[in-house]
Amino acid sequence: MKTLRKHLEMLKADGKTLIVPYIMAGDHARGIDGLPEMIAFLAATGASAIEVGIPFSDPVADGPVIELAGIRSLKNGTTLTKVVEVLKTVKTDVPLVIMSYLNPIYKYGIEKFITDLKSTAVKGLILPDVPREHENMIAPFLTDSDIALVPLVTLTSIPERQAELVKDAEGFIYAVTVNGVTGADRDYRADLNTHLAQLSELADAPVLAGFGVSSLAHVENFRKAVDGVIVGSYIVKALNESRDDEVADFLKKASLL
């Protein structure tokens, strides 16, 4: 079992709600140099794992808050190469999960990218623009690594497709809770928890709900059906507005729900 799943399974066994905050690498007053500080802060305030976004000029899954964070990061001169170099210096027991699109990784060199990450705390990879049918572009390079490719399961996935996506998952299952892009203040459909509970029944790996999670009430509700949540836009916006204490309080309380 790879480290990411083992770590999350251990927290789950201890009765913890799994909380994975998202941050955009380079979206900091000090640019990419502020990334270690952001990771240390989230690790100290109860994060089960930390999703690190890579800025990209043409995102397909990012809502307005994260898209603006990506623009700020790019203006700060952030590149995938710089992110990897900084991550090589970060020491943390909390697994990191890179969220990127394929283009930057392809340009970097897929094999080189995975090889360079082996000496970092990165234990997971989320690629929203790579469907299961095209995973063979990157999966072979992950075989001998401790990095898990995290599958995304959408609301439009039929049960047979869901079963295929969650099979042999090595990290966790990213359950997308809305049709569309990320963002806080989303309206969830009435039967969402039923869908999530059915997905949890299919999956052996932990299931985390993401897209629009922005309150403790959201976390408490989703906890009835899944093992935890991924929190992006709320965290990104709060940190950009220097509401660090609010983020710390949210993460600590959410992990106990």
Side-chain angles (χ1 to χ4, degrees):
M1 187 182 292
K2 293 193 175 184
T3 295
L4 177 59
R5 180 168 169 180
K6 188 185 301 181
H7 178 79
L8 296 178
E9 294 278 15
M10 179 184 68
L11 294 176
K12 179 180 171 181
D14 286 342
K16 297 288 182 65
T17 294
L18 304 180
I19 307 293
V20 179
Y22 169 100
I23 51 174
M24 176 65 73
D27 182 30
H28 189 276
R30 294 192 289 116
I32 194 63
D33 291 336
L35 182 57
E37 176 187 320
M38 296 172 77
I39 290 172
F41 167 72
L42 294 173
T45 51
S48 306
I50 300 169
E51 188 179 344
V52 180
I54 305 299
F56 183 50
S57 59
D58 192 24
V60 297
D62 298 345
V65 170
I66 293 178
E67 190 170 358
L68 284 173
I71 291 171
R72 290 192 297 267
S73 178
L74 290 171
K75 285 183 177 178
N76 286 336
T78 306
T79 65
L80 182 56
T81 298
K82 290 180 180 179
V83 173
V84 172
E85 288 306 307
V86 169
L87 289 178
K88 289 179 180 178
T89 71
V90 173
K91 305 299 180 186
T92 178
D93 293 329
V94 176
L96 306 181
V97 181
I98 282 186
M99 188 286 203
S100 180
Y101 295 95
L102 184 61
N103 187 280
I105 297 173
Y106 183 80
K107 184 177 179 182
Y108 188 104
I110 296 174
E111 184 173 9
K112 182 180 185 327
F113 175 67
I114 300 302
T115 299
D116 288 351
L117 288 182
K118 287 181 179 179
S119 61
T120 73
V122 173
K123 302 300 178 184
L125 184 60
I126 300 172
L127 298 172
D129 60 343
V130 178
R132 172 57 63 94
E133 289 74 16
H134 294 159
E135 283 181 2
N136 58 352
M137 296 177 66
I138 194 161
F141 302 110
L142 296 172
T143 302
D144 295 325
S145 79
D146 194 27
I147 301 171
L149 190 59
V150 175
L152 287 91
V153 180
T154 68
L155 296 178
T156 58
S157 302
I158 62 174
E160 293 79 7
R161 178 68 166 176
Q162 292 176 29
E164 178 189 351
L165 291 171
V166 304
K167 184 181 179 184
D168 301 324
E170 296 179 315
F172 63 87
I173 310 301
Y174 195 132
V176 180
T177 57
V178 297
N179 291 320
V181 297
T182 61
D185 302 319
R186 303 300 297 268
D187 291 326
Y188 295 116
R189 73 187 205 187
D191 65 341
L192 178 56
N193 269 19
T194 299
H195 162 81
L196 293 174
Q198 290 171 345
L199 182 60
S200 292
E201 285 293 320
L202 287 172
D204 291 328
V207 177
L208 279 71
F211 281 42
V213 181
S214 57
S215 69
L216 291 175
H218 284 156
V219 181
E220 190 170 20
N221 177 58
F222 287 137
R223 191 67 179 91
K224 298 170 186 175
V226 295
D227 302 303
V229 297
I230 298 158
V231 188
S233 297
Y234 167 78
I235 298 287
V236 169
K237 190 172 189 293
L239 291 179
N240 184 56
E241 295 173 353
S242 300
R243 292 185 279 128
D244 297 27
D245 289 345
E246 181 182 322
V247 170
D249 185 62
F250 175 87
L251 293 175
K252 288 175 180 176
K253 288 179 177 176
S255 67
L256 299 175
L257 290 175

